[in-house]
Amino acid sequence: MALSDYTGRAVLTAVDLVNSQQVLTGQDTLATEAELAGLLGARGWVLDRPLAATDLERLRALRPRLRFVFGGTPVRKSVEDLNALLRDLGAQPQLTDHDGDWHWHYVRPRAPLAERVATTCVVALLTVIADSGAARLRICEGAGCGNVFVDASRPNSRRFCDTKGCGNRAHVTAYRERRRQRGPE
Ligand SMILES: [Zn+2]
Ligand SMILES: [Zn+2]
């Protein structure tokens, strides 16, 4: 599955936003504007103006609607919901080279950053669905994890997120289980 750099970064931004709200533990790592700036900066977003409290509120509120499309939601439901989000956000696609490279923005110029991030994330998720299928949008199978991820691997067989070591832990558990079943040596 090949994504352009721009779409790839937007997809990862969507994943980071969703995972900042840990649904199983209630832990939330997107509580302040500084945390939002950190999340966006790590995914290459250029913050050309200070983040406002409303940016934080809007992106926090967006998270459940982005999470909705992960983990086997019927594709028509996902697409309907993401399309509706684009309408709610007043999406207005246009090409810009404000940072030197031509790329899409999906909101009017000088729209609040939260709207720019939100529309870009939504379009990126729709692009994954259109190009590679909704099955790429998964929830980690790690015990007690609940993280979402996008499987960009060629075999399309990833089962675990890559941020909490869930794959390793499952591997160790399976190994111990096999040993236990074999009994004492
Ligand atoms: Zn831009
Ligand atoms: Zn995980």
Side-chain angles (χ1 to χ4, degrees):
M1 162 182 158
L3 289 172
S4 74
D5 186 43
Y6 186 61
T7 303
R9 277 194 292 130
V11 163
L12 292 174
T13 305
V15 165
D16 288 351
L17 283 172
V18 172
N19 290 342
S20 71
Q21 183 176 34
Q22 292 286 310
V23 286
L24 300 181
T25 62
Q27 194 194 2
D28 196 320
T29 55
L30 195 67
T32 65
E33 282 117 76
E35 283 173 336
L36 177 58
L39 187 158
L40 296 177
R43 292 304 180 193
W45 288 85
V46 179
L47 308 180
D48 48 9
R49 74 202 88 142
L51 289 165
T54 49
D55 288 318
L56 179 65
E57 269 326 296
R58 289 173 118 152
L59 290 174
R60 282 173 57 83
L62 180 71
R63 297 179 295 178
R65 293 189 72 179
L66 296 184
R67 174 175 282 276
F68 174 73
V69 306
F70 288 82
T73 305
V75 62
R76 277 187 190 284
K77 283 295 298 166
S78 294
V79 170
E80 246 172 51
D81 213 64
L82 292 174
N83 281 339
L85 252 177
L86 284 181
R87 279 195 302 277
D88 295 350
L89 288 160
Q92 190 180 304
Q94 57 208 276
L95 209 59
T96 169
D97 68 344
H98 70 95
D99 62 0
D101 288 315
W102 288 109
H103 61 283
W104 286 103
H105 278 190
Y106 302 100
V107 281
R108 69 197 182 283
R110 281 177 294 284
L113 184 77
E115 286 179 28
R116 185 146 57 90
V117 171
T119 49
T120 308
C121 287
V122 171
V123 169
L125 292 173
L126 284 166
T127 303
V128 170
I129 291 173
D131 291 356
S132 308
R136 295 278 183 176
L137 306 175
R138 308 234 175 93
I139 295 175
C140 177
E141 293 176 25
C145 179
N147 267 358
V148 303
F149 66 93
V150 176
D151 184 1
S153 73
R154 189 185 290 270
N156 192 10
S157 58
R158 239 181 92 188
R159 297 168 51 206
F160 303 103
C161 72
D162 52 11
T163 46
K164 298 207 297 197
C166 294
N168 277 337
R169 212 172 304 118
H171 186 78
V172 168
T173 306
Y175 174 77
R176 289 210 184 108
E177 182 60 19
R178 280 196 305 275
R179 284 190 56 146
R180 198 183 61 77
Q181 284 175 359
R182 263 204 319 264
E185 319 241 315

